[in-house]
Amino acid sequence: MKSIKSWLTMAVVAAVISALGAAAAWAIPLAETAIYIEINATDGDAGIQIFLDGEGWDSMQVKDPYSRVVLNVAAEGGVALQGITELFLESAEPSFEEQPLEDFLALFPEGLYGFRGTTTDGRPLRGTARLTHRIPDAPEILSPEEEEEVDVDDVIVEWERVPNPPGSRIVAYEVIVEKDEGRLRVFKADMAGYQTSVSVPAEFLEPGTAYKAEVLAIERSGNRTISEVEFETAGGGGGDDD
């Protein structure tokens, strides 16, 4: 016959398991979570990006597959009272000379990352996102060519289709055109994974201006690789001569 102490121990364990199960069931799921790698092949660097969206919260923690904390956010003052919904962050991006890619990947192992937060009224928030090391090749930009001068009415960004990474596939491309001075974004297009060109409307461009075009190849888990090219639009027309 089991002792009273044994029965009490079993009862406590059962109560703890029941409480944990109830807490998990009670937790509010985050609306969206993501963690992915962004590599700039032109600059030769890499960074991690994290995104989450959910009911207003005042604290959030992200842990890697080994339960190591990689992000800990706590709101204060008015922000804590108001609550945060969306959060997007980009890490610093040291060059591969300072931080080789293998060292970067070791900091962020593949696997399931856990998101744990608390709403402004004390309820738990939960979510997960999977990070992979399936990184796309760099897109080869065919046009415009580096330092090419093009007419504002004829700016077409074209690239070679990127092969699918092992175990994944290219699901989308993103094209961004920025003013070279000040890095002001003037045009952005989200393209399907089978598309390889996009025309930039003339109204987004100015004559005689330096620009940078970026093409991002995005694979299924969200990892992306960027290629860049700088170009210039043909000079603006002068006034009529007398």
Side-chain angles (χ1 to χ4, degrees):
M1 187 174 183
K2 292 186 177 180
S3 66
I4 294 176
K5 185 176 180 181
S6 296
W7 282 111
L8 287 174
T9 300
M10 291 172 63
V12 169
V13 170
V16 170
I17 293 173
S18 176
L20 289 173
W26 183 51
I28 302 169
L30 287 162
E32 189 175 353
T33 55
I35 179 168
Y36 51 84
I37 295 164
E38 181 175 275
I39 288 180
N40 189 314
T42 303
D43 291 343
D45 58 44
I48 200 78
Q49 300 188 358
I50 298 174
F51 174 78
L52 65 95
D53 181 20
E55 191 167 328
W57 52 270
D58 56 18
S59 65
M60 187 65 62
Q61 192 175 81
V62 180
K63 291 185 178 181
D64 74 8
Y66 300 99
S67 296
R68 298 175 298 197
V69 176
V70 297
L71 179 67
N72 197 10
V73 179
E76 300 286 347
V79 174
L81 292 173
Q82 192 73 10
I84 303 169
T85 55
E86 289 190 6
L87 176 70
F88 173 72
L89 68 86
E90 297 180 85
S91 73
E93 299 169 342
S95 71
F96 289 143
E97 291 182 357
E98 301 173 75
Q99 182 189 53
L101 180 58
E102 55 269 26
D103 293 349
F104 168 80
L105 295 177
L107 291 176
F108 302 99
E110 292 185 288
L112 204 62
Y113 283 66
F115 292 66
R116 301 290 184 268
T118 306
T119 65
T120 54
D121 57 1
R123 292 174 295 165
L125 282 164
R126 299 289 184 268
T128 58
R130 185 171 296 278
L131 178 70
T132 77
H133 289 174
R134 298 166 183 166
I135 299 171
D137 289 342
E140 181 184 351
I141 300 177
L142 303 177
S143 71
E145 296 180 1
E146 183 70 26
E147 303 296 340
E148 182 183 6
E149 185 178 276
V150 294
D151 191 278
V152 292
D153 294 314
D154 192 30
V155 177
I156 298 174
V157 181
E158 184 178 5
W159 60 94
E160 287 278 5
R161 190 169 180 176
V162 174
N164 291 327
S168 185
R169 62 187 178 88
I170 301 299
V171 296
Y173 295 97
E174 188 175 285
V175 178
I176 297 169
V177 177
E178 297 177 336
K179 275 190 176 181
D180 192 51
E181 185 176 345
R183 292 292 189 254
L184 174 66
R185 180 178 296 182
V186 297
F187 176 80
K188 177 180 176 294
D190 296 315
M191 314 296 293
Y194 59 84
Q195 294 176 294
T196 56
S197 69
V198 62
S199 179
V200 182
E203 56 264 30
F204 287 95
L205 304 168
E206 299 174 12
T209 304
Y211 291 95
K212 178 180 73 172
E214 300 179 355
V215 178
L216 292 75
I218 304 171
E219 60 85 40
R220 184 170 51 200
S221 71
N223 295 331
R224 53 205 62 200
T225 301
I226 304 170
S227 293
E228 301 176 353
V229 64
E230 295 183 352
F231 68 97
E232 188 171 335
T233 52
D240 293 336
D241 294 332
D242 292 332

